[in-house]
């Protein structure tokens, strides 16, 4: 890399817009959406989609609610042409969906595009030609007038070809390609020349697409360009300003959002952001950003995993595990402090008197996207007691007391360090069973017991295997637990003092079980914990005390 990059690269010029309004705007309603997955996203693939994959992707786009879909580049080849004409002929296009095709501004290509749409009830034909200085000078060797004439000639062919198929409701879109690096006054000049040919009206507007063909500036500059264009184009009520941000600088989503704030009406992009170079604007992210601010985007991702599966199958491209909203790990916390905050957030959410979502680290409820809460907190060597407790509660319904959480966390931490891997729910439960629940090798194993006597003077008589030998032990106390501890003390068991006791039901109804937790202090000052689970709460309590005795 150069130590002084200014010798090779120029800063992007700013837009002269001293009265810009977009910074104080907010997005309060969804734009018109156009998916370019089947065209722009398709031509960016190593192996372009075949008809089966394009059909599967088309069906997904319909399912999520997209009403405008760019289905292909019909003049690119037989696969594209046949797919588009097949959609029309087989009646797969819903009446409320507009399909769109793209064509360069050349007569033969435009004519082929119209042929592919023969018999369609309605369609958009999208015409484009590049207008920026680099393309004029390097690619075409043309001046402004010559480039504008290309757009004019193409618009005339659009008009004439549409007249040959009067039964189709035609809509037109024009893109001054490379808008983001072109002179704004020239972009307006070319667009108005196209408008002179196609004669849009408020009732039948022309879509003017203003692409960041190559993202060359920060998104605020793109917003300035959009606002400037909207203020200077004539007959603003007869055009739809459409955005087509690419992601070369990694700010395609931000450019789309600021462009909408600047007055645009429509956003073009791909589900999950596929596209040439670094991709197109990610429609899923833009839409769900709106959703998290209380705006219905009118496209819905109730089953985000179905979308991921379809996109990855059709595109043969993976979705990054940290991809916004869609990645496997975006709703997952490994860090102990994050886990603790999320766990407390869910508890507070359950106790709230309103439906508003407020959970730390989770800007959206995973359930709204079809994701389960089980994947929110996952355990590895970075995790804390809150994360482990969350997994146990979600998987088994056990609500561990805080000090027991800390005790068990030491064991999970040691296992994660030893194995150097993530611990799943089965790993954690297996460790919990080995640590706290009855094992055949335990010193004290409950066979049966009886309890009698008055409140405050209870007699516990237990049938217990002690070191593998069945024995009868007994003890008196104020209650059941103290009676068990007294019986153990008289049978070579440890001396225990109860510090804390908790219990709760697991589940509901006749099949519900009970969980009991006891924290004890030994004669030499150590703290030990015991856990008991049984269909009867009294028996669960006895098992908890024996669990603590085994750990002592």
């Amino acid at each position: 890399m150069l130590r002084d990059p200014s010798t090779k690269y120029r800063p992007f010029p700013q837009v002269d817009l001293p009265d810009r309004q977009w910074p104080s705007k907010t997005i309060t309603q969804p734009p018109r959406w156009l998916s370019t997955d089947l065209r722009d996203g398709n031509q960016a693939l190593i192996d372009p989609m075949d008809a089966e994959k394009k059909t599967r992707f088309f069906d997904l786009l319909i399912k999520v609610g997209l009403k405008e879909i760019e289905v292909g580049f019909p003049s690119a080849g037989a696969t594209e042409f046949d797919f588009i004409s097949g959609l029309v002929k087989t009646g797969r296009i819903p009446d409320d969906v507009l399909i769109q095709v793209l064509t360069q501004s050349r007569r033969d290509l435009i004519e082929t595009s119209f042929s592919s749409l023969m018999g369609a009830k309605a369609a958009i034909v999208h015409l484009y030609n590049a207008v920026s200085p680099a393309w004029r000078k390097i690619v075409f060797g043309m001046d402004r007038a010559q480039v504008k004439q290309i757009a004019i000639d193409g618009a005339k062919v659009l008009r004439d070809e549409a007249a040959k198929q009067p039964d189709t409701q035609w809509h037109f879109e024009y893109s001054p390609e490379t808008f983001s690096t072109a002179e704004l006054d020239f972009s307006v000049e070319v667009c108005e020349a196209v408008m002179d040919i196609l004669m849009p009206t408020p009732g039948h507007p022309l879509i003017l697409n203003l692409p960041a063909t190559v993202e060359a500036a920060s998104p605020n500059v793109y917003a300035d360009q959009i606002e400037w264009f909207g203020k200077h184009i004539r007959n603003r009520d007869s055009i739809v300003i459409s955005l087509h941000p690419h992601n070369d600088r990694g700010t395609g989503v931000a450019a789309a959002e600021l462009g909408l704030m600047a007055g645009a009406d429509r956003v073009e992009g791909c589900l999950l952001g596929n596209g040439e170079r670094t991709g197109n604007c990610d429609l899923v992210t833009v839409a769900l950003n709106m959703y998290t601010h209380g705006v219905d985007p009118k496209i819905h991702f109730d089953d985000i995993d179905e979308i991921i599966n379809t996109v990855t199958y059709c595109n043969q491209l993976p979705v990054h595990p940290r991809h916004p909203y869609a990645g496997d790990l975006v709703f997952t916390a490994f860090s102990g402090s994050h886990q603790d905050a999320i766990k407390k957030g869910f508890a507070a959410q359950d106790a709230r008197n309103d439906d508003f979502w407020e959970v730390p680290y989770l800007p959206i409820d995973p359930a709204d996207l079809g994701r389960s809460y089980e994947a929110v907190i996952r355990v590895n060597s970075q995790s804390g007691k809150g994360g482990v407790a969350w997994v146990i509660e979600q998987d088994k319904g056990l609500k561990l007391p805080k000090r027991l959480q800390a005790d068990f966390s030491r064991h999970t931490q040691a296992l994660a360090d030893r194995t150097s891997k993530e611990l799943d729910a089965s790993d954690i439960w297996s460790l919990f069973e080995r640590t706290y629940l009855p094992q055949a090798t335990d010193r004290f194993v409950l066979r049966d017991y009886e309890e009698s006597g008055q409140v405050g003077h209870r007699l516990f008589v237990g049938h217990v295997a002690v070191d593998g030998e069945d024995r009868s032990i007994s003890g008196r106390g104020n209650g059941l637990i103290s009676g068990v501890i007294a019986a153990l003390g008289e049978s070579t068991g440890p001396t225990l003092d109860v510090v804390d006791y908790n219990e709760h039901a697991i589940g509901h109804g006749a099949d519900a079980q009970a969980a009991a937790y006891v924290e004890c202090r030994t004669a030499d000052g150590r703290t030990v914990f015991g856990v008991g689970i049984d269909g009867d709460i009294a028996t669960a309590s006895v098992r908890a005390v024996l669990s603590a005795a085994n750990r002592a």
Side-chain angles (χ1 to χ4, degrees):
M1 293 178 66
L2 300 174
R3 298 283 73 84
D4 181 10
S6 67
T7 62
K8 186 173 183 179
Y9 301 101
R10 304 184 186 93
F12 197 87
Q14 300 296 299
V15 178
D16 183 16
L17 192 66
D19 60 341
R20 59 180 58 84
Q21 300 298 307
W22 65 262
S24 61
K25 303 289 186 181
T26 57
I27 298 173
T28 58
Q29 61 184 18
R32 289 170 56 174
W33 303 101
L34 174 82
S35 162
T36 62
D37 289 277
L38 298 178
R39 193 277 302 172
D40 204 5
N42 186 44
Q43 70 187 38
L45 301 177
I46 298 171
D47 297 310
M49 289 181 275
D50 57 19
E52 183 271 329
K53 288 179 178 175
K54 291 195 77 169
T55 300
R56 181 168 173 174
F57 211 130
F58 180 80
D59 291 342
L60 173 69
L61 297 171
I62 296 297
K63 184 176 181 179
V64 301
L66 280 151
K67 302 302 181 185
E68 298 178 42
I69 302 170
E70 193 167 73
V71 290
F73 205 140
S75 60
T79 300
E80 293 284 283
F81 186 98
D82 293 345
F83 169 72
I84 296 163
S85 61
L87 288 177
V88 175
K89 292 173 183 176
T90 58
R92 295 186 70 93
I93 307 165
D95 289 342
D96 63 344
V97 172
L98 272 174
I99 62 169
Q100 175 172 304
V101 298
L102 181 71
T103 177
Q104 291 171 301
S105 187
R106 277 176 39 190
R107 174 177 291 276
D108 59 327
L109 305 184
I110 298 170
E111 290 173 347
T112 299
S113 300
F114 275 90
S115 295
S116 73
L117 296 167
M118 185 77 69
K121 294 179 181 178
I124 305 170
V125 181
H126 180 187
L127 178 76
Y128 76 94
N129 67 297
V131 299
S132 67
W135 268 255
R136 296 197 309 261
K137 178 178 63 176
I138 300 170
V139 181
F140 304 129
M142 293 182 176
D143 60 19
R144 280 191 175 198
Q146 291 171 308
V147 166
K148 182 170 75 171
Q149 191 61 47
I150 293 174
I152 292 171
D153 293 342
K156 289 178 179 178
V157 180
L158 282 188
R159 178 196 62 196
D160 297 343
E161 288 298 310
K164 296 176 184 177
Q165 298 186 48
D167 292 336
T168 299
Q169 183 182 21
W170 294 107
H171 302 267
F172 301 124
E173 176 172 348
Y174 173 69
S175 289
E177 193 197 5
T178 64
F179 165 84
S180 58
T181 52
E183 309 93 335
L184 285 170
D185 63 330
F186 184 54
S187 293
V188 168
E189 180 183 337
V190 175
C191 288
E192 289 183 345
V194 171
M195 292 168 65
D196 289 339
I197 305 300
L198 299 178
M199 303 295 289
T201 65
H204 195 74
L206 169 67
I207 302 168
L208 291 178
N209 182 46
L210 307 179
T213 305
V214 177
E215 188 179 40
S218 51
N220 62 295
V221 174
Y222 186 59
D224 280 350
Q225 292 172 327
I226 300 302
E227 184 171 326
W228 192 99
F229 185 93
K231 287 180 176 179
H232 289 83
I233 192 78
R234 71 166 185 262
N235 300 335
R236 176 65 178 88
D237 60 350
S238 296
I239 65 167
V240 172
I241 293 181
S242 188
L243 307 174
H244 188 109
H246 277 255
N247 199 43
D248 299 88
R249 292 169 58 91
T251 57
V253 167
E257 292 179 327
L258 300 191
L260 288 173
M261 292 161 59
D265 310 295
R266 186 174 184 254
V267 174
E268 303 185 4
C270 293
L271 299 185
L272 305 178
N274 178 38
E276 293 175 298
R277 301 180 310 281
T278 55
N280 292 324
C281 173
D282 179 352
L283 296 187
V284 172
T285 300
V286 177
L288 290 178
N289 283 352
M290 294 181 191
Y291 180 83
T292 61
H293 283 193
V295 177
D296 180 2
K298 304 299 183 184
I299 47 177
H300 302 292
F301 308 114
D302 306 88
D303 188 350
I304 196 72
D305 290 328
E306 179 190 14
I307 293 168
I308 294 167
N309 292 337
T310 300
V311 171
T312 53
Y313 167 75
C314 293
N315 289 348
Q316 295 296 295
L317 291 173
V319 174
H320 195 282
R322 300 295 181 186
H323 191 104
Y325 300 108
D328 282 346
L329 298 179
V330 295
F331 300 125
T332 299
F334 291 103
S335 160
S337 60
H338 289 207
Q339 292 173 342
D340 182 63
I342 292 171
K343 183 173 180 289
K344 290 175 179 176
F346 273 109
Q349 191 73 21
D350 291 340
R352 289 169 63 94
N353 294 321
D354 59 56
D355 294 328
F356 287 104
W357 180 255
E358 189 177 18
V359 175
Y361 295 113
L362 295 179
I364 191 171
D365 185 348
D368 288 357
L369 304 180
R371 289 273 175 88
S372 66
Y373 293 136
E374 282 79 0
V376 171
I377 289 177
R378 289 160 61 175
V379 175
N380 64 12
S381 61
Q382 303 298 307
S383 304
K385 63 182 185 298
V388 175
W390 165 269
V391 173
I392 287 282
E393 181 174 349
Q394 295 299 307
D395 190 48
K396 298 297 182 181
L398 299 183
K399 301 175 182 178
L400 307 185
K402 285 190 177 300
R403 286 192 288 273
L404 177 57
Q405 291 178 25
D407 186 72
F408 184 48
S409 178
R410 292 187 296 105
H411 295 276
T412 56
Q413 182 80 38
L415 179 60
D417 284 335
R418 192 164 61 249
T419 59
S420 298
K421 72 179 186 68
E422 178 189 351
L423 305 181
D424 62 22
S426 63
D427 295 327
I428 294 169
W429 179 244
S430 178
L431 177 62
F432 188 86
E433 286 184 306
R434 295 196 304 271
T435 305
Y436 301 106
L437 299 184
Q439 305 292 312
T441 57
D442 286 345
R443 185 178 185 207
F444 301 101
V445 179
L446 180 67
R447 304 297 193 205
D448 196 4
Y449 76 94
E450 294 178 356
E451 183 190 17
S452 61
Q454 302 298 317
V455 175
H457 192 70
R458 306 293 290 174
L459 173 64
F460 169 82
V461 179
H463 302 284
V464 179
V466 180
D467 295 326
E469 179 184 346
D470 284 354
R471 295 172 57 178
S472 177
I473 63 174
S474 64
R476 293 184 181 275
N478 292 330
L480 176 60
I481 291 177
S482 59
V484 177
I485 289 175
L488 289 170
E490 295 176 7
S491 306
T492 69
T495 301
L496 299 175
D497 287 328
V498 176
V499 176
D500 190 33
Y501 173 82
N502 292 273
E503 64 182 42
H504 66 81
I506 306 173
H508 304 280
D511 295 330
Q513 287 195 301
Y517 312 96
V518 63
E519 179 183 348
C520 299
R521 185 172 292 112
T522 66
D524 58 359
R526 290 182 298 115
T527 297
V528 293
F529 294 86
V531 180
I533 300 174
D534 197 89
D536 173 68
I537 184 59
T539 303
S541 300
V542 174
R543 293 188 184 281
V545 175
L546 292 179
S547 170
N550 285 318
R551 288 178 53 73

